[in-house]
Amino acid sequence: DAKTTQPNSMESNEEEPVHLPCNHSTISGTDYIHWYRQLPSQGPEYVIHGLTSNVNNRMASLAIAEDRKSSTLILHRATLRDAAVYYCILRGTNAGKSTFGDGTTLTVKP
Amino acid sequence: EAGVTQFPSHSVIEKGQTVTLRCDPISGHDNLYWYRRVMGKEIKFLLHFVKESKQDESGMPNNRFLAERTGGTYSTLKVQPAELEDSGVYFCASSLIEGRSDAEAFFGQGTRLTVV
């Protein structure tokens, strides 16, 4: 499985934008980039995914580099509820077997 | 619509005992996955069902683990006999579309297993 690299932790102030980076230099042409987050004591929750173009949904935006070797999850206005571990995952043809990695622990300060 | 539900939420058992975890996927989701996070490590894939068939069980750690999905609905994961290193959180996920790398997976809240 292709691996991803994320910073262990990041901090943000409430109401400010947050940019969470992910490197995936070994991504294959058919891999989708997925982001999940895990709130305390809960299972992972889908956030967003993309292939080549930038994507927006009600939760976040995903900016994908032109060479697809990196991507950035953007939370436009962080809230305290956004404090979680964020995972950047590559999902290929065997999608469920994706490796989660260690993720980025996001702390949001009031 | 109900999400993925897992039972029990917590289980504490003694080494050598048997424990059975249950997962009810979202209705209509043919794909069901089991994952686990053992202490301090990342979430790892265990196996994948498509309906009642095991599509991929390459992540199952050893033969003490047995997963079933009778009738292609709910699934159980049995650990027999449990060992200390089996302690961790076991997650179940389901998705609608088989093999699609753009398909969203829905996760349950997990079962925290503690073996003492």
Side-chain angles (χ1 to χ4, degrees):
Chain A
D1 288 338
K3 296 285 188 180
T4 62
T5 305
Q6 300 176 252
N8 287 334
S9 62
M10 291 187 66
E11 284 190 353
S12 171
N13 294 318
E14 198 175 9
E15 302 293 320
E16 289 186 355
V18 181
H19 291 229
L20 299 167
C22 180
N23 287 321
H24 28 79
S25 58
T26 59
I27 190 171
S28 74
T30 56
D31 285 341
Y32 278 76
I33 302 158
H34 284 242
W35 283 81
Y36 282 75
R37 70 180 186 181
Q38 187 173 17
L39 302 171
S41 301
Q42 295 190 24
E45 171 190 34
Y46 169 83
V47 177
I48 199 166
H49 76 272
L51 183 62
T52 56
S53 303
N54 295 344
V55 184
N56 299 298
N57 68 18
R58 63 178 179 81
M59 289 181 72
S61 295
L62 177 60
I64 301 173
E66 194 169 336
D67 63 4
R68 299 207 330 123
K69 294 186 176 181
S70 66
S71 61
T72 302
L73 178 70
I74 302 165
L75 306 179
H76 296 287
R77 292 178 65 195
T79 70
L80 297 178
R81 288 189 68 255
D82 291 323
V85 179
Y86 286 78
Y87 296 98
C88 168
I89 301 163
L90 302 182
R91 290 172 70 90
T93 52
N94 195 351
K97 207 172 173 179
S98 309
T99 300
F100 271 77
D102 292 328
T104 295
T105 300
L106 175 65
T107 302
V108 180
K109 297 184 287 185
Chain B
E1 179 184 347
V4 176
T5 52
Q6 293 186 245
F7 305 97
S9 56
H10 294 86
S11 179
V12 181
I13 62 171
E14 293 185 352
K15 176 182 171 181
Q17 288 186 323
T18 297
V19 63
T20 300
L21 314 181
R22 172 169 169 148
C23 169
D24 286 70
I26 292 173
S27 177
H29 281 196
D30 287 342
N31 295 277
L32 186 149
Y33 309 89
W34 283 98
Y35 299 85
R36 74 170 182 175
R37 171 187 275 138
V38 293
M39 199 61 72
K41 304 232 174 128
E42 61 190 40
I43 297 173
K44 290 208 167 181
F45 167 85
L46 294 178
L47 86 159
H48 169 205
F49 282 100
V50 177
K51 296 183 180 178
E52 68 275 10
S53 299
K54 291 177 186 173
Q55 183 79 7
D56 183 345
E57 53 183 332
S58 60
M60 295 287 263
N62 51 61
N63 59 10
R64 295 185 294 103
F65 288 75
L66 175 64
E68 294 181 325
R69 191 181 182 195
T70 306
T73 55
Y74 71 91
S75 174
T76 58
L77 179 64
K78 183 193 298 187
V79 185
Q80 179 181 30
E83 298 289 344
L84 298 178
E85 64 264 26
D86 300 331
S87 296
V89 183
Y90 289 75
F91 294 104
C92 173
S94 72
S95 71
L96 180 62
I97 305 168
E98 176 185 354
R100 286 276 301 275
S101 49
D102 61 342
E104 174 184 351
F106 298 84
F107 283 79
Q109 295 204 336
T111 293
R112 181 173 295 279
L113 174 64
T114 303
V115 183
V116 297

